[in-house]
């Protein structure tokens, strides 16, 4: 496999909510099962052409929902000309007046309502009676009565599809498409720029928005079947016994079935480290037990982050800084979407597959576990202003009574206050899967510093890229970073948002020995993975390229490899999938929430 080597050149780092170094050292295959209708700009693969792409050709920021007049539900992707990009995050007050949905390209905005009809969630009576209990999806198959009710509820939702009822399955799926496929715009007055697109991914809004979304979906089913105690099952792909498609979703006669799924995967053990068409030269597993162990390591890395900034992602901005997904979004969440494939494999159609809602119930459970069982705290701002900037973000959904309800992040921080909880009968095996240093690799003395090469660098499958980065002096002086300000490896990357893309990141692995390091090893820092936009009724509405920032946790890695006092780290980038991936810069920072 070909390779290239370079050391990161000094430059000014991109705007970040993390603490920069005292001396900055940062530099400035497609899914084959369906042809996406996304209308993204393709661009040229030649690196000389890519270097002319402004690193903020497309920026993401997130806010709330609404618009003057008829209001709908939606999401944000910021496109800006290079000369107009502000240097810092432009925050937007989150109100009903900020966002409007655009019906175009065959897509009709769902959930239209009159502003005067909106009620506040906080003004509604709180849930009463016992908590609704969400159970593991692979275990509820034994409860025939529960499965009958669940199927009946989804069938009744589908029966409403032709009626225009906002509670119909079609309308509910369209909500996700609207919020996640660039059908919403932040108004010019709010963003202080020309109107920009909106997406609920790539920021700290990802987890609370999806909690709201499946909360109302669950309540609608309960109302239709006359059972207020009904709770969605969660697909617990974080447990070895749950790492296959739950049987209730694989019955062709059931309304829970989706024929568009990747048929090679519906009865196979899920592999969270692979994607469609990815060239993966990780150490090969010869049995399902090995695959499951690798999966548990992936989930451990997702959950064992120290700050909410790492877990949730950056604050939402209406301009200025790139979007930044957290580990909750980028890791198992995206890998499961890709593994299932079909409707689930593209953001525009993901909500059309009934398993989506159980998948996201488990994503929600991961958030719940992170704040309860693991004892972490949700964040507050990370430089975005006050804590209320995040907590007061609000959206409007139709509830089970067909009322448009305004609900805020503040309303959904505690699942118990929403009237539900999770049944936990299985051991959280991933908690004990902290990676260990790889065995069987030679660890020679540090080689001479490689020749310098400036960013951007286009990733090509079959060619590894090697980067040497400086660590913060503060971390070296204290023999490692702390949980309150952990070290993170920050990678700025520009992608085609309509393309499946993935690359792995290794740390301190000698050249030529990469195939000896896998997810169970400390040197494997993790993967960046993009779930394609596009699909659905409106394509991708002409999106351009997208610049994102992702943080790989380093605190435990540095500790386990015994390099806590080293000045530099050697980083290897291994492209797995994607033809339009450009790395704009790599650096190490100390990261904290505020």
């Amino acid at each position: 496999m070909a390779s290239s080597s370079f050391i990161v050149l000094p430059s000014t780092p991109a705007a970040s909510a993390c603490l920069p170094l005292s001396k900055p050292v940062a530099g400035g295959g497609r899914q084959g099962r369906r042809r996406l209708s996304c209308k993204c700009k393709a661009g040229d693969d030649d690196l000389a052409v890519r270097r002319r792409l402004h690193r903020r050709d497309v920026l993401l920021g997130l806010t709330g929902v609404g618009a003057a007049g008829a209001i709908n539900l939606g999401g944000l992707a910021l496109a800006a000309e290079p000369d107009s990009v502000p240097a810092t995050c432009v925050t937007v007050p989150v109100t009903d007046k900020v966002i409007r949905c655009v019906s175009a390209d065959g897509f009709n905005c769902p959930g239209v309502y009159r502003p005067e009809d909106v009620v506040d969630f906080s003004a509604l009576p709180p849930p009463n009676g016992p908590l609704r209990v969400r159970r593991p999806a692979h275990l509820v198959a034994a409860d025939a009565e529960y499965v009958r009710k669940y199927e009946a509820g989804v069938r009744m939702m589908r029966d409403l599809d032709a009626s225009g009822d906002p509670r119909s399955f079609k309308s509910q799926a369209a909500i996700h498409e609207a919020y996640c496929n660039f059908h919403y715009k932040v108004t010019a007055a709010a963003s202080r720029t020309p109107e920009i697109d909106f997406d609920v991914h790539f920021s700290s809004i990802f987890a609370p928005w999806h909690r709201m979304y499946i909360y109302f979906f669950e309540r609608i089913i309960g109302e239709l079947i006359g059972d207020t105690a009904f709770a969605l099952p969660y697909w617990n792909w974080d447990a070895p016994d749950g790492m296959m498609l739950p049987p209730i979703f694989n019955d062709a006669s059931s309304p829970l079935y989706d024929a568009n799924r990747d048929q090679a995967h519906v009865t196979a053990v899920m592999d969270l480290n692979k994607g469609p068409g990815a060239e993966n030269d990780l150490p090969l597993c010869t049995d399902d037990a090995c695959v499951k162990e690798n999966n548990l390591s992936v989930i451990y890395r997702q959950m064992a982050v120290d700050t909410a900034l790492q877990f949730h992602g950056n604050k939402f901005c209406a301009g200025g800084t790139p979007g930044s997904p957290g580990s909750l979004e980028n890791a198992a969440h995206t890998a499961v979407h890709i593994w299932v494939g079909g409707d689930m494999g593209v953001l525009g159609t993901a909500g059309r597959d009934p398993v989506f809602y159980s998948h996201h119930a488990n994503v929600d459970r991961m958030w719940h576990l992170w704040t309860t069982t693991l004892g972490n705290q949700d964040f507050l701002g990370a430089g975005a202003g006050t804590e209320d900037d995040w907590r007061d973000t609000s959206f409007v959904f139709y509830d089970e009574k067909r009322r448009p309800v305004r609900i805020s992040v503040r309303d959904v921080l505690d699942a118990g206050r929403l009237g539900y909880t999770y049944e936990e009968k299985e051991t959280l095996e991933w908690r004990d899967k902290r990676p260990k240093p790889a065995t069987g690799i030679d660890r020679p003395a540090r080689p001479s510093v490689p020749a310098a090469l400036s960013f951007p660098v286009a990733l090509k499958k079959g060619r590894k890229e090697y980067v040497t980065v400086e660590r913060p002096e503060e971390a070296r002086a204290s023999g490692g970073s702390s949980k309150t300000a952990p070290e993170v490896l920050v990678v700025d990357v520009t992608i085609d948002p309509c393309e499946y893309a993935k690359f792995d990141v290794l740390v301190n692995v000698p050249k030529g020995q990469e195939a000896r390091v896998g997810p169970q090893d400390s040197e494997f820092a993790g993967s960046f993975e993009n779930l394609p936009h596009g699909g659905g009724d409106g394509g991708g509405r002409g999106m351009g390229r997208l610049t994102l920032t992702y943080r790989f946790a380093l605190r435990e890695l540095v500790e386990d490899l015994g390099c806590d006092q080293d000045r530099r780290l050697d980083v290897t980038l291994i492209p797995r999938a994607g033809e339009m991936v450009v790395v704009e810069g790599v650096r190490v920072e100390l990261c904290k929430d505020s």
Side-chain angles (χ1 to χ4, degrees), residues 425-493:
K425 285 190 174 181
E426 297 174 296
T427 303
L428 301 177
E429 294 189 30
W430 47 263
R431 295 190 69 183
D432 298 323
K433 299 301 178 180
R434 178 168 174 166
K436 297 179 174 59
T439 59
I441 64 174
D442 299 326
R443 301 182 187 277
R446 177 177 294 278
S448 59
V449 175
L453 179 66
S454 62
F455 289 105
V457 174
L459 296 187
K460 300 283 188 179
K461 286 189 291 184
R463 185 182 72 193
K464 301 179 180 73
E465 304 289 353
Y466 297 88
V467 189
T468 299
V469 293
E470 295 275 351
R471 293 179 59 222
E473 293 180 6
E474 300 93 319
R476 298 201 308 270
S478 58
S481 57
S482 67
K483 288 188 175 182
T484 55
E487 283 181 276
V488 293
L489 181 72
V490 183
V491 179
D492 298 318
V493 58

Side-chain angles (χ1 to χ4, degrees), residues 121 124-125 127 132 160 165-167 172 215-225 228 397-405:
F121 183 82
L124 298 175
R132 304 186 305 281
L160 294 174
D165 192 313
R167 303 172 302 170
Q172 291 295 304
Y215 167 82
F216 287 109
F217 184 89
E218 178 178 78
R219 297 289 288 173
I220 288 169
I221 292 180
E223 174 75 10
L224 292 176
I225 65 175
T228 58
F397 293 87
Y398 272 95
D399 71 359
E400 69 275 15
K401 304 293 187 183
R402 287 187 287 190
R403 295 174 296 196
V405 176

Side-chain angles (χ1 to χ4, degrees), residues 304-320:
V305 295
D306 299 311
T307 66
L309 186 61
Q310 294 169 273
F311 188 71
H312 284 296
N314 267 12
K315 59 185 177 285
F316 42 91
C317 305

